[in-house]
Amino acid sequence: MMADGVELRRIAMPLVSPFRTSFGTATSREILLVRVVTDDGTEGWGECVAMAAPRYSSEYVDAAADVLRRYLVPALLAAGPVRAHAVAGLLAPFQGHRMAKAALEMAVLDAELRSELRSFGHELGAVREKVPCGVSVGIMDSVPELLDAVGGFLDEGYVRIKLKIEPGWDVEPVRAVRERFGDDVVLQVDANTAYTLADARHLARLDPFDLLLIEQPLDEEDVLGHADLARQIKTPICLDESITSARAAAAAIRLGACQVVNIKPGRLGGYLEARRTHDVCVANGVPVWCGGMLETGLGRAANVALAALPGFTMPGDTSASGRYYAADITEPFVLKDGYLDVPDGPGLGVAPVPDRLTEVTTASEWLAG
Ligand code: OSB
Ligand code: MG
């Protein structure tokens, strides 16, 4: 496809309830959308998962917009006709900024697939028509509040619960959820790097609760520390923040730093690198699941397609739109018996509803060659 221009659009979406993690509390989501328009008038949408502040990762919305405006979009516009599979190579001279790159590649891929009438799921290699869904539950002010929230999500049909943890909010909430809802609940925890290796004995206190996994207990760069921790606790370790490429996944697996991998396309630089990461994990016998970044229906559509690949054997953070947003910018994703349908229309299979998009837009700029 040949890009005529690219729109960078900023939106602000209020969350249905505050979402607290070990790195902060969010009450609304600021998101950068990328819209590619091709010379034949086809549109493609990308969603950048960078958050407002560099707390989950080094990227943040203003930085993503800046690098797209100055470097990434001009490189695309100067390249002439380009296929989505060539975008990563085109952007490779620019270091880092994987979330920004992922959003641009996603938009190009969406445009290409829409014009060729193929779906994301078909292109990525989906083998399922629907995917089982988990939900990520934030840190709460009290255990009773947490039990209310978890009970509500189980009533909605979520098949797996993930509790956000941090020092001071770990063993007790896990124990309380197990006591209230029983051993059959599929349960895991996510620390978002809040611990150090010195906490190994404390984290071993989670062992009796039969957790599916503990996600990213240590620093993003402490892959070796995770390998050491794996020898001191029974709960399987899953890496999120540390897995920035298929190559990083291969290294972490070889080191024994993780038994499970969380795949987030934004963190990996795009859906195509996400698929390669899946392939590396499958080749090593390591199960994967699809992470989430509070996406709108656009990113959610692509995530659900990815989660339908064969190696995604664990439920992902692919919750329904209503988990975060009272009104999505696309037709909402609605949970059916714990599952979401994989869209099968061309490209993402969903598009923003124009009036909804206008309501949440805070800024827009058009970049042309
Ligand atoms: O660590 O998986 C994470 C949200 C924002 C940043 C990081 C993470 C998360 C979540 C929620 O856990 C995932 C979702 O439901 O979209
Ligand atoms: Mg995580």
Side-chain angles (χ1 to χ4, degrees):
M1 64 117 235
M2 174 81 185
D4 263 0
V6 174
E7 183 192 26
L8 301 182
R9 185 183 278 257
R10 297 279 290 262
I11 63 173
M13 308 256 294
L15 298 179
V16 291
S17 56
F19 184 61
R20 179 172 158 203
T21 65
S22 61
F23 59 83
T25 304
T27 55
S28 85
R29 183 80 168 94
E30 259 194 71
I31 300 175
L32 175 66
L33 300 180
V34 176
R35 182 173 64 102
V36 168
V37 180
T38 73
D39 57 352
D40 70 4
T42 308
E43 280 186 350
W45 288 95
E47 174 167 348
C48 181
V49 300
M51 312 198 83
R55 297 195 190 279
Y56 162 77
S57 78
S58 64
E59 291 190 73
Y60 59 103
V61 182
D62 284 333
D66 190 72
V67 76
L68 278 158
R69 181 189 303 119
R70 287 179 196 270
Y71 300 105
L72 308 183
V73 172
L76 177 74
L77 293 175
V82 60
R83 301 213 28 109
H85 282 74
V87 170
L90 193 66
L91 304 181
F94 307 105
Q95 302 299 313
H97 298 282
R98 288 182 172 85
M99 294 175 177
K101 291 175 176 175
L104 188 57
E105 184 197 73
M106 176 181 167
V108 171
L109 183 57
D110 185 35
E112 181 175 305
L113 295 175
R114 280 184 205 268
S115 69
E116 296 173 4
L117 303 178
R118 289 182 292 131
S119 68
F120 254 70
H122 183 271
E123 173 69 9
L124 294 174
V127 295
R128 288 181 273 267
E129 289 173 359
K130 57 180 188 164
V131 298
C133 299
V135 60
S136 178
V137 186
I139 295 165
M140 306 266 163
D141 290 335
S142 70
V143 166
E145 253 181 276
L146 175 71
L147 295 178
D148 277 355
V150 169
F153 289 130
L154 290 172
D155 289 344
E156 287 182 51
Y158 286 104
V159 303
R160 184 225 68 190
I161 299 290
K162 156 169 144 183
L163 302 182
K164 289 290 195 179
I165 60 168
E166 64 182 4
W169 182 265
D170 44 34
V171 178
E172 287 325 308
V174 167
R175 183 198 314 281
V177 168
R178 271 281 177 254
E179 279 176 3
R180 169 71 71 89
F181 301 105
D183 294 338
D184 290 345
V185 172
V186 181
L187 189 62
Q188 64 190 53
V189 294
D190 185 359
N192 287 113
T193 76
Y195 297 86
T196 70
L197 198 51
D199 297 311
R201 282 172 49 145
H202 178 70
L203 292 172
R205 293 179 57 208
L206 293 168
D207 287 346
F209 299 105
D210 192 29
L211 300 177
L212 206 51
L213 57 89
I214 177 169
E215 193 178 337
Q216 196 75 37
L218 312 181
D219 189 80
E220 173 179 335
E221 296 182 1
D222 197 7
V223 175
L224 205 50
H226 284 98
D228 290 340
L229 180 63
R231 287 185 224 101
Q232 300 177 56
I233 65 175
K234 292 208 181 68
T235 307
I237 293 176
C238 170
L239 291 178
D240 172 355
E241 285 87 334
S242 297
I243 306 298
T244 52
S245 63
R247 181 186 280 155
I253 292 166
R254 174 94 70 91
L255 272 172
C258 59
Q259 288 77 57
V260 181
V261 169
N262 167 328
I263 295 198
K264 282 184 187 167
R267 192 192 66 224
L268 290 160
Y271 283 86
L272 301 177
E273 183 73 4
R275 179 175 61 185
R276 284 190 287 275
T277 308
H278 158 273
D279 295 348
V280 162
C281 292
V282 169
N284 283 278
V286 169
V288 304
W289 54 280
C290 183
M293 292 290 289
L294 286 69
E295 286 89 349
T296 72
L298 296 172
R300 207 162 289 281
N303 285 351
V304 167
L306 182 69
L309 267 64
F312 285 78
T313 54
M314 293 177 161
D317 283 343
T318 49
S319 2
S321 298
R323 157 70 184 95
Y324 292 112
Y325 305 115
D328 207 331
I329 57 170
T330 63
E331 290 303 316
F333 281 82
V334 178
L335 210 60
K336 270 193 265 169
D337 293 329
Y339 284 74
L340 288 184
D341 288 332
V342 178
D344 57 6
L348 293 169
V350 301
V353 176
D355 289 350
R356 272 299 298 149
L357 189 60
T358 305
E359 274 169 27
V360 295
T361 295
T362 56
S364 158
E365 63 190 290
W366 176 252
L367 308 169

